[in-house]
Amino acid sequence: MTTVNTRSVAIVGAGPVGALMAVYFANRGWNVHVYESRPDMRLPENKALIQNRSINLALSVRGLTALKGTGLALDDLIMKSGLPMRGRMLHIGKEGHLVSQDYGVHGECINSVDRAKLNEDLITAAEALSNVKLSFNLALKRADLDKGTLDLENSVTKEKVKAEADLIVGCDGSYSAVRNSLMRYVRLDFGQEYIPHGYCELSIPAKVGANGQPEFAMDPEHLHIWPRHKFMMIALPNPDKSFTVTLFMPFANFELIHDKKDLLEFFEEYFTDAIALMGKDLLIDEYFKNPKGSLVMIKANPYHYKDRCIILGDAAHSMVPFYGQGMNCGFEDVRVLDSLLSEFDVKSTKKGSEDKSLELALEAYTDRRAKDLKAICELALYNYTEMRHGVTSPMYLMRKKVESWLHLLVPSKVIPLYTMVSFSNKPYSEAYARHHRQGFWLGVAGAAVGLGTAAGLLVAGWKQRKQLKDAGGLLKAAFLQAANSMQKMIQ
């Protein structure tokens, strides 16, 4: 009788990426064991012990595609509690004058989701599969990648635990223990950089409506931004009608706030409208109680070792959160790896030492994924400047208007960068490269709009002088004249 040796995988980390990876491997017929250093976050007694320092997650097309790819309707499950945001709502100036900026020209939305609930739902989905086992309170100390063994320690009892697997997958975050072990086996290029800005989480509670029921204190269909050039504050809606608020600014600024007097003076100077929304007492309590988190960027390459190990998510490419792509990118890692396992015909059973399919698939992952991960890490940092400063610049606003207009006129030739990143599965590196190529057309378009408007004022004014009754009508006609000219130029 022939013995069937089913492949086994040890996934270190039961965060969103690790839990989703467990589902994908289980679907392929592998025996899956997930090891998590923290206690089970789903248990009531552990919820208060796990201090949630993470920023709300923005789920977009890449993440939804990976969730849907499980075949378990996980995208629908997660979106039951997701809140769509169709654009940014800027709070300009001390008094918070509101300016809406849509994300897309066709009503595209990103979705505000609660990290803890999403993580719990994915863990539960993985655990429901018969070939998945989860172990909590087990921290990886070291892995022997050639032997496929893991040395773990129970964080409660300090008991030493030994485990083994055919493949070790590191989904254990920015300070990855799997990555530390991987460094001993490959010439791994590694970079870690803290930006000088940190963050502090605050909140805007629900208000009581006319019927006595809780209501949102602000428009829930927007990601709210208070851009203040060198720093900013953002707010994302929650299902309970509250908003999770995050203040991003240099640590040097945080260090200037010593007491509640300093805090209130700072908010009165820069975020006057937010004080009434938060309430002074809640603002003071949360600001001094909640930690001031660091923002780190991690770059590593290669991501694998032979057919024995691979790192995904923040373990491979931790990025700052300003493009809302950290989780989406991590989920895409899972989908891309799964597609390569299919491309290289990696079976769930071992075929002996001559079977190189898994090694080839992991090698292809490193080769194909590296440029995309480099691109999105750079874009995430760039978007911080845009969010805290660029969104208020007249030049930025003109460029976005022209870009949106051209996208409507010639959608195959001009696609906004945000659309490519958040509302498509186009590889990040291709989106980044196309964005640079489009810069030429946007420059030409900007000049054409300026010159065309001036010329159009004369042409349209003469042709339609009897119909135009005010300067607004004249300007509109001139812009349409310029638009028609620009469309012909691009086509």
Side-chain angles (χ1 to χ4, degrees), residues 11 42 47 57 64 118 153 170 235 296 301 338 343 373 376 392 419 428 435 467 470:
I11 299 175
R42 298 168 297 174
K47 289 183 182 292
L57 299 173
L64 288 167
L118 177 141
E153 180 180 275
V296 65
N301 189 290
D338 183 72
E343 179 181 332
L373 300 180
I376 189 55
T392 64
T419 297
Y428 291 119
H435 169 68
Q467 289 78 23
D470 54 36

Side-chain angles (χ1 to χ4, degrees), residues 318-336:
S318 183
M319 66 191 74
V320 290
F322 305 115
Y323 225 118
Q325 286 296 303
M327 175 192 65
N328 291 288
C329 182
F331 282 2
E332 188 175 67
D333 289 348
V334 172
R335 181 179 63 82
V336 169

Side-chain angles (χ1 to χ4, degrees), residues 253-267:
N253 291 77
F254 280 117
E255 291 164 3
L256 294 175
I257 299 175
H258 302 100
D259 53 34
K260 63 181 183 181
K261 178 176 177 293
D262 293 338
L263 177 64
L264 292 177
E265 287 179 353
F266 173 75
F267 265 75

Side-chain angles (χ1 to χ4, degrees), residues 371-487:
K371 59 183 181 296
D372 293 324
L373 300 180
K374 181 177 183 292
I376 189 55
C377 286
E378 292 177 0
L379 284 169
L381 186 58
Y382 160 79
N383 212 46
Y384 184 32
T385 303
E386 178 174 307
M387 291 175 72
R388 61 185 165 87
H389 174 69
V391 291
T392 64
S393 164
M395 289 300 294
Y396 168 85
L397 296 174
M398 172 60 79
R399 179 187 174 100
K400 296 298 287 185
K401 287 290 186 184
V402 170
E403 189 175 49
S404 296
W405 160 63
L406 289 175
H407 182 50
L408 280 171
L409 291 176
V410 281
S412 65
K413 288 185 168 59
V414 176
I415 306 174
L417 176 62
Y418 196 91
T419 297
M420 291 187 283
V421 170
S422 296
F423 305 128
S424 83
N425 291 307
K426 179 183 290 292
Y428 291 119
S429 58
E430 292 182 17
Y432 203 6
R434 178 164 187 160
H435 169 68
H436 284 300
R437 291 196 302 271
Q438 288 176 177
F440 168 77
W441 287 114
L442 291 174
V444 171
V449 169
L451 294 173
T453 299
L457 282 169
L458 297 174
V459 175
W462 176 257
K463 290 182 178 179
Q464 303 178 38
R465 59 191 181 281
K466 293 183 179 180
Q467 289 78 23
L468 295 174
K469 297 180 180 180
D470 54 36
L474 181 63
L475 183 62
K476 180 179 179 181
F479 184 84
L480 290 174
Q481 180 81 12
N484 290 331
S485 299
M486 191 60 209
Q487 183 178 9

Side-chain angles (χ1 to χ4, degrees), residues 4 17 56 159 166 224 248 295 300 310 344 357 410 441 470 478:
V4 177
V17 174
N56 263 35
E159 175 190 2
D166 297 310
H224 291 258
F248 296 97
L295 296 170
I310 191 168
F344 287 89
S357 59
V410 281
W441 287 114
D470 54 36

Side-chain angles (χ1 to χ4, degrees), residues 115-171:
R115 172 188 282 272
K117 186 177 188 313
L118 177 141
N119 203 165
E120 291 173 12
D121 287 344
L122 292 181
I123 290 173
T124 299
E127 193 175 46
L129 301 172
S130 60
N131 51 339
V132 175
K133 181 179 179 181
L134 289 105
S135 296
F136 296 94
N137 295 312
L138 284 180
L140 177 68
K141 296 302 178 181
R142 183 163 181 157
D144 186 322
L145 302 187
D146 284 321
K147 294 180 180 178
T149 59
L150 302 91
D151 295 322
L152 305 123
E153 180 180 275
N154 189 296
S155 57
V156 177
T157 65
K158 304 305 177 184
E159 175 190 2
K160 308 296 183 184
V161 177
K162 198 90 168 180
E164 60 181 78
D166 297 310
L167 175 64
I168 297 172
V169 180
C171 300

